[in-house]
Amino acid sequence: MLFLPFLPRHPSPGSFPFSDSDSEQKRGGRGLSGEACGPMGSLLSCISDQDPSASPPPVAKRRSSVSSRRGSGAKAVAIDEEALAAAAALVLGQRSSFGGGAFERSASVRYAAKRQQQQGPPLPRSSSTRPRSLADPELHPQQLLAKDLNTQDLETNIIVLVHGGGFGAWCWYKTISLLEDSGFRVNAIDLTGSGIHSYDTNKICSLTQYAEPLTSYLKSLGDTEKVILVGHDFGGACISYAMEMFPSKVTKAVFLCAAMLKNGHSALDMFQQQIDTNGTLQRAQEFVYSNGKDRPPTAINIDKSLLKDLLFNQSPSKDVSLASVSMRLIPFAPVLEKLVLTEEKYGSVRRFYVETTEDNAIPLHLQQGMCESNPPEKVLRLKGSDHAPFFSKPQALHKTLVEIAAMPPAQSS
């Protein structure tokens, strides 16, 4: 029986054990069937063990690359090549007899079951660092979440994503793609002076001005259109303001590691409650005084060298790089503004809070404190997420948003 494991499955040029150059070097031996013929002799000796009654495989002949040589040397090369062709045909014949089909490319696929028995579960393979194999299943978000989900049957299939301070609509690129693939209509807002919005951040003087792109969008909706608002970070204060202005157009509000404030409180009040043990937040903040040092700050800048430690401690490096060249100043005046929220308007919208456990910007204990003082309908958690779950846990975030969107309308009492 032919001993296949020593035959390379995909020999590259120059690496085949019996190339033309090797044949030249080994011509001085004791013949093709002798011991001094090296790999070719070993191969032919294995072939000779086959059942003599079996019909020999067809021999494919090809022109010798050294056919210009004369005498016994050229004859030996021709014999070498005929033997090589016969060996290749025999290998293919053996595979056909066992139903092998095409050569398998990955040893990790061929021996996965055996390795799992001997060494435990197979090592995880990252689809982002290797080409897709034909053996890999192609799973879509719809298959991973709810196969029977029809977004047309939901209370609304429109999701509006509102970024946090310094961010822009660009930060939602993964979430937008996943939600749209699942059948949702998605709109990511660039707040004033953020993302590609060209307004000077230092000139923003109120929360009303900062949230104007969001409120203008809600105002443009039809009478029967409703949306789900998702606010991240300081975007939580912005969606709270929008809920107070347009409660009839918001079916659910999702606070994603965000400022979920009570009536009469500001985002600054929330941050003053934070006990930052390592001082990262204080060291990362740089105040901007565009109106002079004798006037209040106009904006806050985040030190780029501390971005990863503060915001992206669990996020991929490529997303940290994207943020480092895309983030803009955070307007200071909206952070100081105290919200006016009423139970009749703001309180009529269903609220959900999504916690992030590895958050260094708004630590988990601070998120939990906001939920205790201003309880939402439900609290969900993204384990292992930093302050940017759209980067560090995009699939888990997607699943959570779909779960909230699929919750049936609340029963009126």
Side-chain angles (χ1 to χ4, degrees), residues 117-154:
Q117 293 175 359
Q118 296 176 348
Q119 302 179 3
L123 294 174
R125 297 184 295 169
S126 170
S127 60
S128 62
T129 57
R130 61 168 176 78
R132 178 175 290 277
S133 167
L134 293 177
D136 294 340
E138 186 175 354
L139 297 178
H140 298 285
Q142 299 93 321
Q143 296 172 297
L144 293 172
L145 298 175
K147 294 181 180 179
D148 300 326
L149 177 66
N150 184 353
T151 57
Q152 300 300 322
D153 297 334
L154 301 179

Side-chain angles (χ1 to χ4, degrees), residues 348-362:
S348 67
V349 180
R350 301 172 68 188
R351 287 180 292 117
F352 302 84
Y353 199 95
V354 181
E355 298 175 343
T356 46
T357 61
E358 305 301 321
D359 197 322
N360 289 338
I362 304 181

Side-chain angles (χ1 to χ4, degrees), residues 3 151 181 188 194 208 217-218 252 255 258 294 306 313 329 387:
F3 193 56
T151 57
D181 287 346
S194 305
T208 300
Y217 169 77
L218 293 175
K252 300 182 181 81
F255 293 80
D294 59 333
L306 296 175
N313 48 298
L329 299 177
H387 192 58

Side-chain angles (χ1 to χ4, degrees), residues 152-376:
Q152 300 300 322
D153 297 334
L154 301 179
E155 190 176 9
T156 180
N157 66 347
I158 305 175
I159 296 181
V160 180
L161 305 173
V162 183
H163 63 79
F167 290 85
W170 52 266
C171 71
W172 300 104
Y173 77 96
K174 296 179 183 179
T175 304
I176 293 171
S177 177
L178 291 170
L179 288 173
E180 288 182 342
D181 287 346
S182 295
F184 289 92
R185 294 166 55 192
V186 186
N187 189 7
I189 301 289
D190 269 324
L191 298 174
T192 305
S194 305
I196 62 173
H197 195 287
S198 59
Y199 195 80
D200 184 357
T201 307
N202 289 290
K203 295 181 179 180
I204 299 174
C205 57
S206 67
L207 181 60
T208 300
Q209 185 180 12
Y210 183 54
E212 191 275 334
L214 172 60
T215 54
S216 293
Y217 169 77
L218 293 175
K219 187 176 180 180
S220 69
L221 293 175
D223 294 337
T224 60
E225 287 186 297
K226 298 178 182 291
V227 303
I228 297 173
L229 292 180
V230 180
H232 168 248
D233 185 74
F234 186 59
C238 296
I239 67 172
S240 296
Y241 175 77
M243 292 158 61
E244 180 68 23
M245 288 189 66
F246 302 98
S248 63
K249 295 187 177 182
V250 183
T251 62
K252 300 182 181 81
V254 182
F255 293 80
L256 177 62
C257 52
M260 187 172 65
L261 307 175
K262 295 192 300 183
N263 178 46
H265 285 228
S266 69
L268 184 63
D269 295 332
M270 176 196 70
F271 283 108
Q272 285 179 341
Q273 299 175 26
Q274 178 177 342
I275 302 175
D276 188 14
T277 55
N278 59 13
T280 304
L281 180 61
Q282 284 75 13
R283 288 186 290 111
Q285 289 180 342
E286 300 172 350
F287 289 99
V288 179
Y289 298 85
S290 66
N291 296 329
K293 289 282 188 177
D294 59 333
R295 304 293 298 276
T298 54
I300 304 171
N301 185 44
I302 302 296
D303 186 349
K304 295 294 191 293
S305 66
L306 296 175
L307 275 180
K308 184 172 179 64
D309 291 339
L310 180 63
L311 304 175
F312 310 117
N313 48 298
Q314 302 294 324
S315 297
S317 297
K318 62 181 180 182
D319 293 322
V320 179
S321 299
L322 171 65
S324 67
V325 298
S326 303
M327 292 191 71
R328 295 177 61 180
L329 299 177
I330 304 169
F332 190 64
V335 176
L336 294 175
E337 189 168 332
K338 296 184 183 296
L339 294 180
V340 178
L341 305 173
T342 63
E343 188 64 27
E344 294 76 22
K345 295 181 179 180
Y346 167 84
S348 67
V349 180
R350 301 172 68 188
R351 287 180 292 117
F352 302 84
Y353 199 95
V354 181
E355 298 175 343
T356 46
T357 61
E358 305 301 321
D359 197 322
N360 289 338
I362 304 181
L364 181 60
H365 70 85
L366 185 56
Q367 299 177 42
Q368 293 173 333
M370 287 188 288
C371 292
E372 290 173 2
S373 63
N374 188 19

